[in-house]
Amino acid sequence: PELPAPADLADALQRSTKAAATWAGFSPGRRREYIEWITGAKRPETRETRLITTIEWVAEGKTRHWKYQNC
């Protein structure tokens, strides 16, 4: 099922049009992978780092587990 994007992720996506366009094209499952990764952080610093990484990767068109897709 579709998970709603947390407020901080939604704000970051609004600031990056390229990331927002890619995000809109992702399937609900691909979005869920990122949302669960961000919200699973225990410390605020970790959450912020994951949020920044998410925006960078999504802007580049990368899925959450892009490193392991061509193994």
Side-chain angles (χ1 to χ4, degrees):
E2 181 93 29
L3 287 179
D8 51 355
L9 176 58
D11 290 342
L13 287 168
Q14 285 182 345
R15 292 190 301 271
S16 174
T17 54
K18 190 170 183 179
T22 304
W23 183 263
F26 277 169
S27 68
R30 295 282 187 208
R31 288 185 228 155
R32 186 179 336 106
E33 289 173 346
Y34 274 115
I35 291 169
E36 288 176 349
W37 184 53
I38 292 168
T39 59
K42 291 180 176 60
R43 298 179 336 154
E45 298 85 8
T46 304
R47 184 177 176 121
E48 183 64 26
T49 301
R50 289 181 182 181
L51 183 64
I52 292 167
T53 301
T54 295
I55 296 303
E56 289 173 3
W57 286 357
V58 170
E60 294 173 10
K62 296 177 178 176
T63 60
R64 168 72 181 91
H65 300 289
W66 63 272
K67 296 178 191 176
Y68 309 107
Q69 289 180 347
N70 294 325
C71 292

